[in-house]
Amino acid sequence: MNAQASLLKPPASSLAAATTGRSGFVRSCLSANTGTAFFKELIPAFQGMRGSRSDSTVPPSSQPWTSWRHTSVTRTLASATPASSTSVPASQVKVGTGSPSPLGPSLVEKRAKPEGYSRDSLPARGTVNFALFSKHATAVTLCLFLSGKQGSPPDLEIALDPSSQRTGDIWHASVENVPLCGMLYAYKVDGPKGWGEGNRFDPSVLLLDPYAPLVDGRRRFGDPSQRMARMYGTFDFESEPFDWGEAEAKREPIPEKDVIIYEMNVRAYTADPSSGIDKGRRGSFSAVADKAQHLVELGVNAVELLPIFEYDEMEFQRRPNPRDHMVNTWGYSTVNFFAPMSRYASNEGGPVAAAREVKEMVKRLHAAGVEVILDVVYNHTNEADDTFPYTTSFRGIDNKTYYIVQPNSYVQLANYAGCGNTLNCNHPVVMQMVLDSLRHWVQEYHVDGFRFDLASVLCRGTDGEPLVAPPLIRAIAKDEVLSKCKLIAEPWDCGGLYQVGSFPNWDRWAEWNGKYRDDVRKFIKGDEGMKGPFATRLAGSADMYHVNQRKPYHSINFVIAHDGFTLRDLVSYNLKHNEANGEEGRDGSNDNYSWNCGAEGPTQDEGIIALRNRQMRNFHLALMLSQGTPMMLMGDEYGHTRNGNNNSYGHDTALNHFLWNQLEQNRSSLFRFTAAVNRLRSWHPALGQANFLSPGDITWHEDNWDNYESRFLAFSLHDVSGMCGDLYVAFNAHSFAVGAGLPPPPPGRQWVRLADTNLPSPRDIVDDLETIATNGRVISGTYNVAPQSTIVLLAAKA
């Protein structure tokens, strides 16, 4: 069939959503810092064909990869809807051999529009290359939805010819004269049907490209009528590059020792009507940017966003089950690792709008002095398990490559993530996808770092066994782009691998310090025998992190995180109350180390209420006075409650939403205190030090370390710079007052009270740190530290 004959194909399409900055698969693999031997399995992917095609070779360089050839093309006639006025006539579409690199869709050529035509009247057209990895597939069909219409059969199906459109394990084709924005695409993949061998091929299922830069599907978040909606790949090769501005180009990263993290959920931040955001924009990326000033006033300089990759919020509603009343609002159900969550776009704007809004959000947060860290989920996907499988992408493309499969087990998919499947992250192909995805978010969206959910999964080999030196973790730490980012591991998984303090790190990785959380909770609530461990956590957890070139800031200190009690619930409930989740209270952690202060849940007892308010302040002071990187949770600044639910992942309600009206009610009390403590953290050089404390940095006012019943701890942090003055801190977790004899202040200075959590607001903390020397209350001799309270004194100039 000659080139002219190959023009007789059905109409081309209008694809959407694009990005640049993704490294080509072949090029990136060969340059990855993971060792030559590790990539032995990849060699066939770059050396011609497999099996009966072993004598075939990659077309010679003298033959253009865009050369046109015979390809089986089928037009679906089931849809009676005529093509839109902007559709491409069938006679103008060409299908070419294409290139195996880069994976996903990529722009080959962009044609100039006829003079006088706007984007809306005539979308830009050009040539797009498609490339898909599948080692075990025997047939791949590229499906194009030319008009961008969802739910209808494909307008064009291109059966790829393995003799010319498969290079190694990569299937590819180029399509000429298609719209560069608005078209949807998917794949159908067939292969061996041996379930017992780990294959899950089904050629009737439309599959999402793992490298799709954008994803289109549902437009409205949590729409039950669209619970089974298919997800399609799309791109935007038409829009002009985003204007990041000169300030962004000159911006320097915040030193890790100075970072204060605010963990938050994009949707929940502004979803409540009390946010004052227009209804169509509530819960959107752009609404987060509108509320950037709150972050500035709070005194945080980094947000850690719960997952914003395209995810399936309707996963609980696909079949009848005890959780089918819930919507996944946390986002730990990844559909695609390159595309922003399309339903976080304003006014149901779709994937192109979502991508633009992410960039605008990041740009505006950066302008406000706030960095952006993404919570990323590379441990599992939305495709569930083999009992209730939900095939949308990886499973149907190459199950044995993308997931850890154990063919000899009755349940073949390994489940180290607790969600039914485990991504095969240290397989060379999957590892490269993860690296490409991470670089994509840094280069395309300018994010500043990543927190890796259940990161210990990423330390398992292809057989599921833990690795001493996981190739993926090392590659990220050594990568030219990623090594400059903030890298945070959640150092455990659901398979029993617990690596707090021992996560493979190459002196680059930080860790969520779960031991910090537990020890601080135990001491503040008054457990015996916790003074020594509490002091160790305050001093930067040197017992775990003072190894090689690791620093105190590699300990991400937190008392509260998204999973678990809020700060208010930590001091209001002894037990979890998760009945609303539909699992009869079986979900969520039972080890909360919480104390309700005398009554379970809401109470009118003024004494209990006052004690709870003190305890919340005690916890936040401990967090911000500790060496290491502090992280607080969205809503704790005003005392948000989830009514004792410590696993509220499925509630798109006020249970999770930031309640701006409650912020206003508590602005002059708890918010004021929290913000002032955050400012103290940033202001005083003795807090957040770059190196572990030496004897000259701290004095422990303690000669009773071995007293198991002692719940009082006092120390001085010395300001060796002389800029602000020493700090004296005393924590009293006893139920009675303790008289603390104060050490003499340095020459020429006097002790002035900064904070006392026992005092009512506004006396509980000094707002103006610059004038404290003249306006603060001078303290000398002995200070009576009230029960369950904390004091902070400053050695100000006399």
Side-chain angles (χ1 to χ4, degrees):
M1 189 177 193
N2 60 30
Q4 286 297 319
S6 70
L7 289 172
L8 303 178
K9 308 284 194 297
S13 80
S14 158
L15 309 126
T19 54
T20 58
R22 282 185 292 118
S23 301
F25 177 77
V26 177
R27 180 175 59 256
S28 299
C29 280
L30 295 181
S31 63
N33 242 329
T34 52
T36 304
F38 186 71
F39 287 94
K40 287 172 64 177
E41 187 172 352
L42 284 183
I43 293 175
F46 315 128
Q47 290 184 338
M49 311 304 141
R50 288 186 175 273
S52 61
R53 297 179 300 278
S54 60
D55 294 332
S56 302
T57 59
V58 179
S61 58
S62 59
Q63 179 183 359
W65 64 266
T66 53
S67 62
W68 309 113
R69 34 155 302 284
H70 171 76
T71 299
S72 175
V73 181
T74 305
R75 180 176 185 179
T76 303
L77 301 177
S79 174
T81 305
S84 67
S85 60
T86 59
S87 295
V88 180
S91 60
Q92 296 182 15
V93 177
K94 275 185 178 181
V95 177
T97 301
S99 169
S101 176
L103 287 175
S106 56
L107 179 64
V108 177
E109 180 186 24
K110 183 176 181 178
R111 293 184 176 181
K113 289 185 182 181
E115 188 175 349
Y117 282 89
S118 68
R119 170 173 175 157
D120 293 335
S121 63
L122 184 65
R125 301 177 188 174
T127 301
V128 176
N129 189 74
F130 296 88
L132 177 77
F133 172 92
S134 182
K135 175 180 179 179
H136 298 98
T138 57
V140 173
T141 300
L142 172 63
C143 303
L144 304 181
F145 299 79
L146 305 173
S147 61
K149 183 179 180 181
Q150 301 179 25
S152 60
D155 298 303
L156 183 63
E157 295 191 357
I158 305 170
L160 303 187
D161 184 351
S163 67
S164 58
Q165 290 177 301
R166 179 175 182 175
T167 303
D169 295 330
I170 302 175
W171 303 71
H172 46 83
S174 60
V175 185
E176 182 182 359
N177 198 33
V178 293
L180 299 182
C181 184
M183 185 177 81
L184 308 179
Y185 76 100
Y187 288 97
K188 293 180 180 179
V189 182
D190 200 3
K193 301 301 191 291
W195 180 278
E197 297 177 0
N199 297 308
R200 301 293 182 267
F201 293 109
D202 184 347
S204 68
V205 177
L206 288 170
L207 301 170
L208 177 66
D209 179 5
Y211 273 74
L214 297 176
V215 175
D216 206 351
R218 306 182 202 102
R219 291 295 179 95
R220 184 182 304 116
F221 187 90
D223 183 355
S225 69
Q226 295 294 310
R227 64 171 62 93
M228 300 302 292
R230 182 61 53 184
M231 298 294 180
Y232 304 86
T234 187
F235 45 78
D236 177 15
F237 294 133
E238 181 175 3
S239 297
E240 293 298 318
F242 183 78
D243 182 8
W244 287 99
E246 293 184 9
E248 179 72 11
K250 298 176 181 178
R251 187 181 63 89
E252 294 292 332
I254 298 173
E256 289 181 89
K257 71 179 184 65
D258 297 330
V259 170
I260 301 176
I261 299 174
Y262 183 78
E263 190 189 26
M264 61 174 287
N265 180 304
V266 166
R267 176 168 173 79
Y269 189 54
T270 63
D272 192 79
S274 65
S275 66
I277 301 293
D278 292 341
K279 185 176 181 180
R281 296 181 56 247
R282 291 175 198 159
S284 67
F285 291 119
S286 66
V288 170
D290 288 352
K291 292 290 188 177
Q293 185 58 33
H294 170 69
L295 304 173
V296 174
E297 294 173 357
L298 181 59
V300 298
N301 56 18
V303 290
E304 184 174 298
L305 304 180
L306 265 63
I308 66 167
F309 294 2
E310 184 71 32
Y311 72 88
D312 184 6
E313 78 276 19
M314 304 303 294
E315 64 172 346
F316 309 131
Q317 300 188 22
R318 295 195 292 258
R319 58 180 178 83
N321 70 91
R323 301 187 296 167
D324 60 11
H325 61 291
M326 297 198 297
V327 173
N328 186 333
T329 61
W330 283 359
Y332 296 90
S333 184
T334 308
V335 172
N336 174 277
F337 298 106
F338 292 87
M341 178 60 170
S342 59
R343 288 170 297 291
Y344 284 175
S346 300
N347 300 303
E348 303 175 19
V352 176
R356 183 178 61 253
E357 285 190 29
V358 172
K359 295 172 184 177
E360 292 171 346
M361 175 190 72
V362 172
K363 180 179 179 179
R364 290 173 63 184
L365 288 175
H366 283 172
V370 178
E371 292 191 336
V372 179
I373 299 169
L374 301 186
D375 190 338
V376 292
V377 188
Y378 292 106
N379 55 73
H380 77 284
T381 75
N382 69 305
E383 294 190 300
D385 55 20
D386 277 338
T387 304
F388 298 104
Y390 187 59
T391 301
T392 59
S393 180
F394 311 93
R395 179 197 301 270
I397 292 171
D398 199 332
N399 188 68
K400 292 169 66 174
T401 293
Y402 284 109
Y403 294 113
I404 297 179
V405 178
Q406 299 168 332
N408 295 327
S409 301
Y410 178 74
V411 178
Q412 291 192 357
L413 287 178
N415 190 20
Y416 300 114
C419 296
N421 63 65
T422 305
L423 208 64
N424 196 7
C425 289
N426 282 299
H427 184 286
V429 171
V430 183
M431 184 179 81
Q432 191 60 50
M433 179 187 71
V434 173
L435 293 171
D436 287 343
S437 165
L438 292 169
R439 293 190 201 106
H440 173 69
W441 284 95
V442 174
Q443 296 171 331
E444 184 72 11
Y445 295 101
H446 288 209
V447 303
D448 302 281
F450 305 93
R451 177 266 188 187
F452 293 77
D453 179 64
L454 297 181
S456 291
V457 168
L458 281 59
C459 297
R460 294 183 181 271
T462 56
D463 59 356
E465 292 300 310
L467 301 171
V468 175
L472 175 58
I473 300 302
R474 182 186 186 279
I476 293 171
K478 300 295 183 179
D479 187 84
E480 182 179 359
V481 173
L482 303 177
S483 63
K484 298 179 178 66
C485 298
K486 293 172 174 67
L487 304 173
I488 303 171
E490 183 183 31
W492 53 80
D493 66 17
C494 295
L497 188 55
Y498 188 78
Q499 298 175 302
V500 174
S502 61
F503 188 84
N505 57 80
W506 285 272
D507 297 327
R508 279 297 301 119
W509 285 80
E511 302 173 14
W512 266 27
N513 189 343
K515 291 183 180 179
Y516 177 95
R517 172 199 59 205
D518 296 345
D519 289 349
V520 171
R521 286 185 179 190
K522 291 176 184 178
F523 178 85
I524 296 294
K525 81 183 186 73
D527 284 2
E528 294 181 333
M530 293 306 301
K531 180 162 61 176
F534 179 59
T536 300
R537 301 299 157 238
L538 289 174
S541 297
D543 59 328
M544 295 188 291
Y545 299 107
H546 199 182
V547 179
N548 298 327
Q549 299 300 312
R550 302 196 86 181
K551 302 294 183 180
Y553 51 73
H554 287 134
S555 170
I556 306 300
N557 299 333
F558 67 103
V559 177
I560 305 295
H562 69 276
D563 49 351
F565 282 143
T566 65
L567 183 58
R568 180 169 292 281
D569 288 354
L570 184 68
V571 302
S572 302
Y573 294 90
N574 286 346
L575 304 172
K576 65 184 182 183
H577 295 269
N578 295 359
E579 293 77 14
N581 298 352
E583 297 188 59
E584 300 179 349
R586 292 187 300 271
D587 65 307
S589 175
N590 294 317
D591 301 320
N592 298 293
Y593 306 114
S594 60
W595 177 42
N596 64 19
C597 297
E600 189 74 356
T603 181
Q604 300 300 315
D605 188 302
E606 292 185 1
I608 293 176
I609 293 173
L611 176 55
R612 289 175 177 176
N613 287 333
R614 286 204 306 278
Q615 288 291 76
M616 286 192 289
R617 287 162 171 78
N618 292 335
F619 277 120
H620 194 66
L621 260 178
L623 177 66
M624 292 298 160
L625 293 173
S626 299
Q627 303 300 319
T629 302
M631 182 187 79
M632 63 174 294
L633 177 66
M634 177 186 83
D636 281 348
E637 64 265 42
Y638 66 80
H640 185 84
T641 179
R642 296 176 183 154
N643 304 324
N645 193 322
N646 73 351
N647 195 29
S648 61
Y649 61 94
H651 300 281
D652 188 29
T653 65
L655 200 67
N656 280 320
H657 295 170
F658 191 98
L659 303 178
W660 294 87
N661 54 342
Q662 291 192 14
L663 170 66
E664 292 308 314
Q665 293 167 13
N666 292 277
R667 181 171 290 279
S668 62
S669 53
L670 184 57
F671 174 80
R672 173 185 169 275
F673 180 90
T674 304
V677 173
N678 293 352
R679 289 195 296 273
L680 171 62
R681 166 78 184 203
S682 298
W683 176 73
H684 202 285
L687 304 175
Q689 296 196 36
N691 297 301
F692 286 96
L693 300 178
S694 67
D697 295 318
I698 190 169
T699 298
W700 298 101
H701 305 298
E702 181 61 59
D703 55 9
N704 208 10
W705 289 107
D706 295 329
N707 185 344
Y708 188 77
E709 297 181 353
S710 176
R711 300 175 180 87
F712 183 87
L713 180 67
F715 59 94
S716 293
L717 284 171
H718 304 300
D719 178 14
V720 295
S721 71
M723 295 172 55
C724 300
D726 290 1
L727 292 174
Y728 173 86
V729 181
F731 289 91
N732 181 18
H734 285 290
S735 59
F736 52 83
V738 174
L742 302 180
R749 297 199 174 245
Q750 58 188 1
W751 291 119
V752 178
R753 187 172 65 208
L754 267 176
D756 184 340
T757 61
N758 184 56
L759 298 176
S761 182
R763 295 170 56 212
D764 53 357
I765 194 166
V766 173
D767 278 301
D768 191 350
L769 295 169
E770 301 300 333
T771 62
I772 186 174
T774 55
N775 298 328
R777 179 172 178 176
V778 178
I779 307 294
S780 61
T782 299
Y783 195 104
N784 196 40
V785 185
Q788 283 101 18
S789 67
T790 306
I791 66 166
V792 182
L793 309 180
L794 174 70
K797 291 181 179 180

